[in-house]
Amino acid sequence: MKILVINAGSSSLKYQLIQMETEEVIAKGGCERIGIAGGKLTHKAHGETYVVEQEMPTHTDAISLVLKMLVDKKAGCIASMDEIDAVGHRVVASGEAFKKTTLVDDKVMETMEEIAELAPLHNPAAILGVNACRAVMPGKKMALVFDTSFHATMPDYAYMYAVDYDDYKKYKVRRYGAHGTSHKYVSGEAAKYLKRDLKDLKIVTCHLGNGSSISAVKGGTCIDTSMGFTPLAGVPMGTRSGDIDYAAAEFIFRKRGMDLSEGLTYLNKKCGVLGVSGVSSDFRDLAAAKDAGNDRARLALDMFAYSCKKYIGAYMAALGGLDVIVFTAGIGENTPDVRRDVVSGLEAFGIELDEKKNNFKNDGAIHEIQKASSRVKILVIPTNEELVIARETAALL
Ligand code: ADP
């Protein structure tokens, strides 16, 4: 069985074609600058990289080009579109409308339009991607795989905000979380790696990338997560503020003469470690700046680690104990100093990092980085959101 995974953004689109029996990626690539001058497709298959520079005015043009590459005599890897058994689409937000992976039909797409405003930066792009695929591959089975599904198991007292209950009922304002496919994948992989039953494990998964979220996973289900109604909440991120007192935010907006929409853009794009450091949103740049003596870069990194540490502590309490901490995503997989700073000081809770093991060179494998005496396992697991989307799609068929 072959599944095509599509992750559509507003002006970009990433894809992977996965052979499900072996879970091997047969081809992958991305389209950039859809709807903007200078369209470009980068396609990787059988060890080669192919670049096509071509205008892609719409997502339908982009999908058509992707399919053309997949069946191309030289760059391709399948004889015809018929070899694709189904398409799995990544969708950021499901609201309360969808609790699990869902097969696409007209009714489902109508609901998708209705909930688009829940993730205005992301969901409309996913709709464009689905509609483009339906136009180019009529009749092909397609699934929507939601970043929020894994968090749908949170108890009400964890997902509710303490606002007027009618606002929750009427507007569905509550915590939904994000990065669910990643949290699901790494918690499952942790159990497999440890040869333990996932049902018996209490895990805190730290997805630390440009956007970061931390989840509490009990027996394989999510019981709490740091992101909220949108991916703005939780720990400070590359450019997002993370948790903040709303009165403080409103005070800044007023002082700077920003309206609410400008204020939200500010919190999403100009804050986080970029805002604090004034250097960069990229943790590699921050580490270099800190090493060169930049104290605001040091402060940004300290704030990030401290916030992650607090979430681990909170989730240890929510879980009623802790067996495993998992680090994943760009920062979690590649930055030993951040991992060290996040767990330092937690020794009293049985969390003991082995400095030497922590300093491994990333080779794409799972690494165990706790001391032999540590009660809690600390794992670094490369995430694979596309594989989860493909698995979920295959399972639905
Ligand atoms: P996104 O949320 O955009 O998927 P990533 O998970 O790719 O983000 O994480 C990006 C972050 O990971 C950046 O802050 C970057 O500095 C950090 N990082 C550190 N080392 C690496 C590396 N070797 N490769 C990629 N990202 C890295």
Side-chain angles (χ1 to χ4, degrees), residues 14 102 219 224 237 265:
K14 288 187 249 168
T102 303
D224 206 347
M237 296 169 233
T265 305

Side-chain angles (χ1 to χ4, degrees), residues 158-224:
Y159 70 64
M160 278 297 295
Y161 291 127
V163 295
D164 186 327
Y165 193 77
D166 283 346
D167 289 329
Y168 160 62
K169 286 313 267 182
K170 258 198 260 170
Y171 308 124
K172 307 285 181 221
V173 172
R174 46 162 283 186
R175 180 188 307 282
Y176 289 111
H179 299 135
T181 46
S182 178
H183 291 287
K184 177 174 181 163
Y185 177 76
V186 297
S187 47
E189 290 300 298
K192 261 194 242 167
Y193 174 84
L194 295 169
K195 299 193 172 60
R196 295 277 307 274
D197 191 340
L198 187 55
K199 291 259 169 302
D200 300 330
L201 291 176
K202 294 169 179 163
I203 309 177
V204 171
T205 47
C206 305
H207 177 110
L208 310 182
N210 200 21
S212 297
S213 64
I214 300 184
S215 292
V217 183
K218 192 174 193 173
T221 61
C222 175
I223 62 160
D224 206 347

Side-chain angles (χ1 to χ4, degrees), residues 301-373:
L301 288 166
D302 282 353
M303 287 171 67
F304 179 77
Y306 179 65
S307 180
C308 292
K309 193 196 309 274
K310 285 204 294 184
Y311 268 103
I312 292 175
Y315 289 165
M316 222 169 358
L319 290 162
L322 184 61
D323 300 305
V324 190
I325 296 173
V326 181
F327 286 101
T328 192
I331 299 163
E333 292 168 31
N334 294 296
T335 316
D337 288 0
V338 171
R339 293 192 296 257
R340 180 201 59 215
D341 293 347
V342 168
V343 297
S344 76
L346 298 177
E347 294 77 11
F349 302 99
I351 302 165
E352 299 173 64
L353 186 87
D354 183 314
E355 287 269 2
K356 201 153 157 256
K357 287 186 187 158
N358 181 40
N359 282 319
F360 69 88
K361 196 165 169 308
N362 190 358
D363 54 2
I366 297 182
H367 286 261
E368 203 172 328
I369 56 170
Q370 79 283 353
K371 281 188 184 157
S373 54

Side-chain angles (χ1 to χ4, degrees), residues 28-228:
K28 68 178 192 177
C31 303
E32 295 163 60
R33 302 183 68 87
I34 301 169
I36 317 171
K40 181 172 144 190
L41 174 141
T42 308
H43 175 86
K44 292 184 184 169
H46 30 71
E48 301 282 333
T49 301
Y50 305 85
V51 176
V52 180
E53 296 197 4
Q54 182 180 314
E55 299 307 308
M56 291 171 260
T58 67
H59 282 69
T60 308
D61 300 310
I63 293 284
S64 300
L65 186 57
V66 169
L67 290 174
K68 200 167 143 207
M69 290 308 283
L70 290 173
V71 301
D72 186 77
K73 284 221 157 46
K74 190 156 160 260
C77 48
I78 50 175
S80 85
M81 227 160 63
D82 297 341
E83 285 188 41
I84 301 172
D85 292 278
V87 183
H89 293 271
R90 177 193 179 208
V91 185
V92 167
S94 66
E96 291 193 328
F98 304 104
K99 295 246 152 100
K100 50 185 201 293
T101 298
T102 303
L103 218 47
V104 170
D105 61 23
D106 291 344
K107 180 98 200 3
V108 163
M109 292 313 290
E110 262 172 46
T111 311
M112 280 289 289
E113 297 279 357
E114 284 162 24
I115 62 166
E117 65 174 357
L118 286 178
L121 298 179
H122 298 102
N123 270 30
I127 294 174
L128 286 174
V130 176
N131 289 342
C133 283
R134 291 182 91 195
V136 179
M137 294 180 265
K140 188 75 71 193
K141 285 212 161 49
M142 295 190 197
L144 304 181
V145 183
F146 300 94
D147 279 6
T148 42
S149 297
F150 184 58
H151 305 304
T153 47
M154 279 186 285
D156 53 5
Y157 53 80
Y159 70 64
M160 278 297 295
Y161 291 127
V163 295
D164 186 327
Y165 193 77
D166 283 346
D167 289 329
Y168 160 62
K169 286 313 267 182
K170 258 198 260 170
Y171 308 124
K172 307 285 181 221
V173 172
R174 46 162 283 186
R175 180 188 307 282
Y176 289 111
H179 299 135
T181 46
S182 178
H183 291 287
K184 177 174 181 163
Y185 177 76
V186 297
S187 47
E189 290 300 298
K192 261 194 242 167
Y193 174 84
L194 295 169
K195 299 193 172 60
R196 295 277 307 274
D197 191 340
L198 187 55
K199 291 259 169 302
D200 300 330
L201 291 176
K202 294 169 179 163
I203 309 177
V204 171
T205 47
C206 305
H207 177 110
L208 310 182
N210 200 21
S212 297
S213 64
I214 300 184
S215 292
V217 183
K218 192 174 193 173
T221 61
C222 175
I223 62 160
D224 206 347
T225 192
S226 62
M227 279 182 171

